[in-house]
Amino acid sequence: MRALQHLFANNRLWAERIKAQDPEFFGKLTKQQRPDYLWIGCSDSRVPANQIIGLLPGEVFVHRNVANVVAHSDLNCLSAVQFAVDVLQVRHVIVCGHYECGGVIATLRGQRFGLVDNWLRYVQDVRVKHASMLDEISDEASRARRLCELNVIEQVGNLCQTSIASDAWERGQPLSVHGWIYGVGDGLLRDLKIQVDNSAALIPAYETALEGLGRDGLSDGGDHQAH
Ligand code: CO
């Protein structure tokens, strides 16, 4: 008896459902992928990229890691970004964090889990950088949500400063980088209002996004809806 039989059964049903709508669907995908989007998100099981934005296989290129970090020394993330930008020529990169992120909460609490603590140092760097803003928030849950937002904004900054993004902009390739956050508790995306279309736009967009935190009703993690 094959292990995890139910997952194979699910898979057959899923493939049949798609083929019922479009018999050529999978055949077309074997020839090429032409996604317009690169999604960089958290590995969290509650934040599945395709489902959240309602896209089918072939429509979004995805890189996920714990706490949606874009680290300049991470060959895995950089390779995904380079392939997506240079080869697939995606038009948009979406860095999407989420509220209730275990990695972010562990960072705030100083919790220890093992090897992953070293990875979460990148989020700790964000916390240290914005300590004064975070210290003003007395409620722990709100502080965690703010750090989730700040982490996205910082990772957008990191992405825009990679040689890959700079080179794409330098040669005039259209590329927009966006920072979003997802509410696990309501299934909705919120726009952190940071969109960068060229190297010079990063600093003003970064500053505007930081100023917008709190003011636009973000950090509530539930009631506010993105536009
Ligand atoms: Co997470």
Side-chain angles (χ1 to χ4, degrees):
M1 175 115 173
R2 193 194 273 158
L4 304 179
Q5 195 71 41
H6 62 294
L7 298 184
F8 285 89
N10 286 352
N11 168 253
R12 280 192 300 274
L13 286 172
W14 171 78
E16 279 163 21
R17 213 165 44 235
I18 290 191
K19 277 188 283 189
Q21 287 162 8
D22 179 1
E24 304 302 317
F25 183 82
F26 293 109
K28 283 184 283 190
L29 283 184
T30 58
K31 296 185 186 73
Q32 63 171 358
Q33 59 164 339
R34 289 216 81 87
D36 285 330
Y37 315 97
L38 163 63
W39 172 281
I40 298 179
C42 184
S43 298
D44 193 302
S45 64
R46 299 165 295 180
V47 194
N50 283 68
Q51 282 100 321
I52 288 175
I53 47 179
L55 293 183
L56 288 166
E59 295 183 322
V60 57
F61 195 76
V62 174
H63 175 78
R64 291 168 68 182
N65 61 41
V66 173
N68 43 272
V69 167
V70 179
H72 291 115
S73 53
D74 178 11
L75 208 54
N76 184 357
C77 180
L78 291 180
S79 299
V81 173
Q82 191 260 324
F83 186 77
V85 171
D86 291 355
V87 182
L88 298 175
Q89 306 235 317
V90 296
R91 298 290 298 264
H92 301 275
V93 179
I94 298 154
V95 178
C96 187
H98 68 102
Y99 294 124
E100 322 306 331
C101 183
V104 170
I105 292 167
T107 300
L108 265 185
R109 292 183 179 162
Q111 283 172 302
R112 297 288 305 271
F113 289 107
L115 178 69
V116 71
D117 304 339
N118 298 284
W119 178 253
L120 291 174
R121 280 302 314 179
Y122 292 115
V123 184
Q124 197 66 257
D125 291 343
V126 177
R127 184 176 88 101
V128 169
K129 185 172 180 182
H130 298 283
S132 59
M133 185 197 279
L134 290 163
D135 289 347
E136 280 174 21
I137 305 169
S138 53
D139 172 56
E140 194 203 16
S142 304
R143 197 160 56 242
R145 288 193 288 272
R146 178 57 53 83
L147 184 54
C148 291
E149 296 161 352
L150 288 167
N151 185 44
V152 171
I153 293 169
E154 289 296 332
Q155 305 312 329
V156 166
N158 288 346
L159 195 129
C160 293
Q161 293 176 86
T162 59
S163 57
I164 303 150
S166 323
D167 290 352
W169 283 324
E170 187 80 16
R171 63 180 176 258
Q173 183 178 331
L175 181 70
S176 299
V177 183
H178 311 260
W180 297 354
I181 194 151
Y182 173 76
V184 168
D186 64 9
L188 295 175
L189 287 166
R190 295 145 180 86
D191 189 349
L192 288 172
K193 313 262 171 59
I194 181 165
Q195 178 180 332
V196 185
D197 303 310
N198 57 69
S199 293
L202 172 60
I203 299 296
Y206 173 89
E207 285 170 357
T208 307
L210 284 185
E211 282 163 20
L213 289 181
R215 195 183 57 211
D216 295 335
L218 290 159
S219 286
D220 57 17
D223 305 327
H224 192 78
Q225 192 173 334
H227 310 289

